[in-house]
């Protein structure tokens, strides 16, 4: 069994948790600025495509609004389910020492399963985002097309980069779990990853509401 040294701050919290909260605070300011920029420029694009309104191309052909709400709703559900899987992964690590008598106990107590599931759902979300970006480019919307394209791709692209970093983090934890096993002594390491992942999910809820749902 591995041993870890815990360093507590004057707040009584592990210094790694203080660090992740400080990092999340700085990332909140980043996303607030990106979301604010999107909202400031919302509706100011002179040429299409537009997010919620039909538009005409150079040939005079009318195209529907470009945002695909059903696809993004599905990807949002996938990301929310990944948060649930992350909660179960953390609980499995915390309770690794408890006996598992039933199949349900073994499933709920498998940190490998839930870490893999969280990472898989994260990859599913990124796949939906890649599909959306590709379809937008085919429909004529790029980061250079108009103000909507610039602010939209910057905002959602930064969020996608954060999800990618989170997936890499989760896969790293999974490899450690496979190699030597994660136990209660590793709770803080998994907990800070969970905090980051939940932050990414909450940010997406804000983006989904302000960009996709509110006209």
């Amino acid at each position: 069994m591995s041993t870890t040294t815990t360093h507590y701050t004057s707040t009584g919290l592990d210094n790694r948790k203080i660090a992740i909260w400080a990092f999340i605070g700085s990332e909140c300011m980043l996303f607030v600025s990106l979301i604010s920029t999107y909202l400031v420029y919302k509706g100011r694009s002179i040429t299409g495509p537009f997010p919620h309104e039909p538009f005409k191309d150079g040939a005079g052909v009318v195209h529907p609004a470009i945002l695909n709400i059903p696809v993004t709703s599905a990807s949002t559900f996938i990301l929310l389910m990944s948060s649930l899987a992350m909660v179960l992964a953390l609980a499995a690590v915390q309770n690794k020492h408890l006996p598992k008598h039933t199949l349900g106990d073994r499933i709920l107590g498998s940190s490998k399963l839930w870490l893999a599931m969280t990472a898989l759902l994260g990859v599913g979300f990124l796949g939906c985002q890649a599909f959306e970006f590709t379809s937008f480019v085919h429909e004529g919307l790029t980061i250079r097309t108009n103000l909507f394209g610039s602010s939209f791709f910057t905002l959602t692209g930064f969020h996608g980069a954060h999800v990618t970093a989170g997936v890499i983090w989760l896969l790293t934890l999974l490899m450690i779990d496979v190699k030597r096993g994660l136990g209660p002594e590793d709770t803080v390491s998994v907990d800070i990853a969970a905090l980051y992942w939940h932050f990414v999910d909450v940010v997406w809820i804000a983006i989904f509401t302000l960009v996709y749902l509110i006209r």
Side-chain angles (χ1 to χ4, degrees):
M1 179 180 296
S2 63
T3 58
T4 56
T5 303
T6 303
H7 301 282
Y8 291 99
T9 63
S10 59
T11 63
L13 295 175
D14 187 280
N15 57 4
R16 290 169 292 175
K17 294 195 76 171
I18 294 292
I20 193 64
W21 278 115
F23 174 75
I24 288 174
S26 65
E27 292 298 283
C28 282
M29 291 187 286
L30 169 65
F31 278 105
V32 166
S33 65
L34 291 174
I35 292 172
S36 299
T37 300
Y38 174 85
L39 294 176
V40 166
Y41 290 118
K42 184 178 180 180
R44 297 191 179 187
S45 296
I46 299 175
T47 59
F50 303 119
H52 300 289
E53 303 84 17
F55 64 96
K56 290 184 179 181
D57 60 18
V61 179
V62 178
H63 298 273
I66 198 168
L67 291 182
N68 192 330
I69 304 300
V71 170
T72 312
S73 297
S75 67
T76 300
F77 177 77
I78 290 172
L79 199 59
L80 290 176
M81 289 303 98
S82 74
S83 263
L84 174 60
M86 188 72 242
V87 170
L88 294 174
L90 177 59
V93 171
Q94 291 172 327
N95 301 316
K96 186 66 69 72
H97 62 289
L98 298 179
K100 312 295 189 297
H101 300 294
T102 67
L103 177 61
D105 289 341
R106 288 192 289 273
I107 292 175
L108 289 175
S110 175
S111 55
K112 298 180 184 68
L113 170 64
W114 297 114
L115 284 172
M117 185 64 67
T118 307
L120 181 63
L121 290 169
V123 170
F125 173 83
L126 291 172
C128 290
Q129 190 171 61
F131 169 79
E132 182 183 49
F133 283 7
T134 302
S135 65
F136 285 178
V137 171
H138 287 164
E139 293 176 35
L141 180 68
T142 69
I143 197 170
R144 298 181 178 182
T145 302
N146 54 22
L147 287 173
F148 165 66
S150 298
S151 56
F152 173 83
F153 279 110
T154 301
L155 172 57
T156 55
F158 264 100
H159 180 266
H162 281 70
V163 174
T164 302
V167 169
I168 294 172
W169 194 346
L170 291 168
L171 291 175
T172 302
L173 288 174
L174 178 60
M175 287 188 291
I176 294 173
D177 201 6
V178 170
K179 184 175 181 179
R180 66 164 176 82
L182 294 173
E185 68 278 4
D186 300 299
T187 295
V188 174
S189 297
V190 180
D191 193 16
I192 60 176
L195 285 172
Y196 175 83
W197 193 255
H198 296 321
F199 161 72
V200 168
D201 286 6
V202 170
V203 169
W204 180 252
I205 292 173
I207 293 174
F208 179 64
T209 301
L210 295 173
V211 175
Y212 290 86
L213 298 183
I214 297 178
R215 294 177 178 268

